[in-house]
Amino acid sequence: MSAPAQSASASVLGGLNPLPTWRAEFQGYTRARFLQDLLAGVTVGIVALPLALAFGVTSGAGAAAGLITAIVAGLVASAFGGSRFQISGPTGAMTVVLLPVIARYGLSQVLVIGMMAGALLILASLLRLGRAVHLIPWPVITGFTNGIAIIIALQQLPAALGLRAPRCEGILPASFEVLHTYLDAPSITPLVLTTVTAAIMLLWPRVTTRVPGGIVALLIVTGVSLQLHLDVPRIGVIPAGLPLPHLPAFDLATLPALFSAAMAVAILAGLESLLSAVVADGMTRGVRHNPDRELLGQGLANLVAPLFGGIPATGAIARTAVGVRSGAQTRVAGMIHALFLLLVVLLLGRAAALVPLSVLAGILLVTALRMFETHTWQALRRSTRSDFATMLATLTVTVAFDLILAIEVGLALAGVLFIQRMIRSVSLEAMDVAENAPVDADVALLQARVLAYRVEGPLFFGVAGRFLENLTANQEVDVVILRLRRVHHLDASGAQALEGIHRELRSHGITLLLSGLQDQPLALLTRMGLLDALTTNRHHLFDATPQAIEHAWSHVRRLHKASA
């Protein structure tokens, strides 16, 4: 490759090239660190096994698809992602999106949607959109997360009650239909298995935390169900290995119709993965993820997994946290987790097929319970009403409609409430010009003919109209002074409001003086071509308010002499 081509490639990849990161991570990589990665990877694999099975079934794609996703996406995302601790695979949030998509388009088209989402994530990484997650307010994220927890719990009703999931796009109608069907012909056995599974998971940490409660519950309850020959729905056949990679069937004419679903999957995958990486950063010292390369890794994972029959994946916060707490040192832990699951598929695929669906339902009910952020709910309830309202609105729309609409509504509501707070932060306070009156001034005349205002806060579109109305109400003076030293931000609407004030005052023979204009407002007024008109070629622009008052007095004195 020529030098110019290498330079162009480097400028495009920037921080997305994984090779420098790999070299830095594995410099001085010792046997002891590998053993820590090995232990952490196997531990996460044990935790991930029942979740991969459960999320695959819950999504509607099947247990095998969940395992394939955890293996392929977990391996690729760990290798190429921007967080050395990230564990990726099928997640509850993604199943919430996929269930109605599979019901509407079918599994084959979901594979296409997954590849489209992967391409969108790669594009987002090239556009350096990784840091956009920091722009989403905390109440929106909390409402989003808690709403997903509620949906995951509701999704378990069919399996917990021993019924088939109905073909409904909305989770609430589907849940009501399941309850109605169950009440017509109730069966206690699946519900008991679900309850026992959940109880074991909740109580097992009191016995030991070395072995995950999920795998213990899965083994015990499955074993009991087999010993008692219980007639309950089970996972069914799981392939004893990975299928050969192949492109899913698709029609170019249908791709535009799939774009909105692919966008929803890409947004969710990017958002949850970056949030998971942030959580991992908080659990480790001195290690920070690269958000753009994390999007690249997730994009590649979602591009490759559907080739093997896997569903869209994302970073998993709980599994990532388990890896960090288990002593993970590098991304090798995530790769070992994926290889461990592959080993399970090769050796124990037939045994996994015997797991009752009600056991998986119990595992995911506990997962949903732990996912619901009660402490953040309480913290927001004690904060401002607007933040709590934003969280509630996001949660409600998440459960009642869909995740992407919930984020849109949450962001819109948060934006409106933020603007309201900014409006309340702007103040217009009258100043006593006598305090800075020139020595030779007639103070009484000065106070009668000159008004000075101290303006504080941003002048933007939300306050422009009120600002204009307040300042042009008094027309019985000769000069109006605006002290703008504490106005650090001005937008185009605020600039136009200033120009409207100047025009209105001038029409009544009143002179406008500005003092203390800061750098950003000064630069904006200059670019918009308004500064010279507002300040009469800068003759009415002053660094300090006393200078403006002195100029105002000279103007009043001249007018007073002319009228006399």
Side-chain angles (χ1 to χ4, degrees), residues 287-368:
V287 179
R288 291 291 177 266
H289 72 286
N290 181 322
D292 295 316
R293 200 164 74 247
E294 182 60 30
L295 290 181
L296 175 65
Q298 295 298 329
L300 292 172
N302 281 289
L303 204 59
V304 174
L307 297 176
F308 294 85
I311 57 179
T314 178
I317 296 175
R319 276 160 273 174
T320 298
V322 168
V324 174
R325 285 196 297 263
S326 301
Q329 299 293 301
T330 67
R331 62 188 68 243
V332 170
M335 299 166 74
I336 289 174
H337 133 270
L339 295 176
F340 172 82
L341 291 176
L342 176 60
L343 194 63
V344 169
V345 169
L346 294 175
L347 300 180
L348 302 174
R350 291 183 178 179
L354 301 175
V355 176
L357 296 181
S358 51
V359 171
L360 300 183
I363 292 171
L364 289 188
L365 281 172
V366 175
T367 301

Side-chain angles (χ1 to χ4, degrees), residues 433 450-453 479-483 511-513 515 545 548-549 552:
V433 294
V450 176
L451 290 178
Y453 294 98
V479 181
V480 171
I481 300 172
L482 294 184
R483 183 185 185 273
T511 300
L512 176 65
L513 306 181
S515 74
T545 305
I549 293 175

Side-chain angles (χ1 to χ4, degrees), residues 205-262:
R206 298 183 181 182
V207 179
T208 180
T209 56
R210 293 180 178 275
V211 181
I215 197 71
V216 173
L218 184 144
L219 293 175
I220 291 176
V221 181
T222 299
V224 170
S225 73
L226 292 173
Q227 280 294 114
L228 298 178
H229 303 288
L230 298 179
D231 184 17
V232 291
R234 301 180 187 271
I235 289 178
V237 179
I238 292 180
L242 289 179
L244 292 175
H246 63 280
L247 279 174
F250 67 94
D251 183 357
L252 288 176
T254 64
L255 292 185
L258 302 178
F259 182 79
S260 61

Side-chain angles (χ1 to χ4, degrees), residues 7 20 43 65 91 150 157 170 185 261 275 299 326 381 398 403 421 423 449 474 486:
S7 176
T43 302
T91 64
I150 293 172
L157 280 178
L275 289 176
S326 301
R381 190 173 61 83
T398 299
L403 302 181
R421 285 197 292 269
I423 291 174
R449 307 308 300 174
N474 194 326
R486 296 185 183 179

Side-chain angles (χ1 to χ4, degrees), residues 138-147 370-384 387-388 391-392 395:
W138 184 46
V140 175
I141 293 175
T142 301
F144 176 75
T145 305
N146 288 345
R370 291 170 175 170
M371 188 176 176
F372 194 91
E373 299 176 343
T374 307
H375 60 289
T376 57
W377 175 288
Q378 296 294 339
L380 282 168
R381 190 173 61 83
R382 292 190 295 267
S383 67
T384 64
D387 285 335
F388 190 62
M391 187 272 290
L392 283 179
L395 184 152

Side-chain angles (χ1 to χ4, degrees), residues 477-552:
V477 294
D478 297 320
V479 181
V480 171
I481 300 172
L482 294 184
R483 183 185 185 273
L484 303 174
R485 190 167 300 281
R486 296 185 183 179
V487 176
H488 296 284
H489 178 77
L490 180 75
D491 71 357
S493 297
Q496 286 297 324
L498 284 177
E499 197 275 334
I501 291 167
H502 175 260
R503 185 174 58 251
E504 179 72 14
L505 294 177
R506 187 178 59 186
S507 69
H508 294 90
I510 302 172
T511 300
L512 176 65
L513 306 181
L514 305 180
S515 74
L517 196 60
Q518 297 296 297
D519 291 341
Q520 189 274 337
L522 179 65
L524 180 69
L525 291 171
T526 302
R527 288 197 305 270
M528 293 181 67
L530 297 176
L531 184 64
D532 289 340
L534 277 175
T535 61
T536 316
N537 296 321
R538 307 203 182 196
H539 294 304
H540 291 165
L541 177 62
F542 303 91
D543 291 333
T545 305
Q547 296 173 349
I549 293 175
E550 184 176 355
H551 184 90

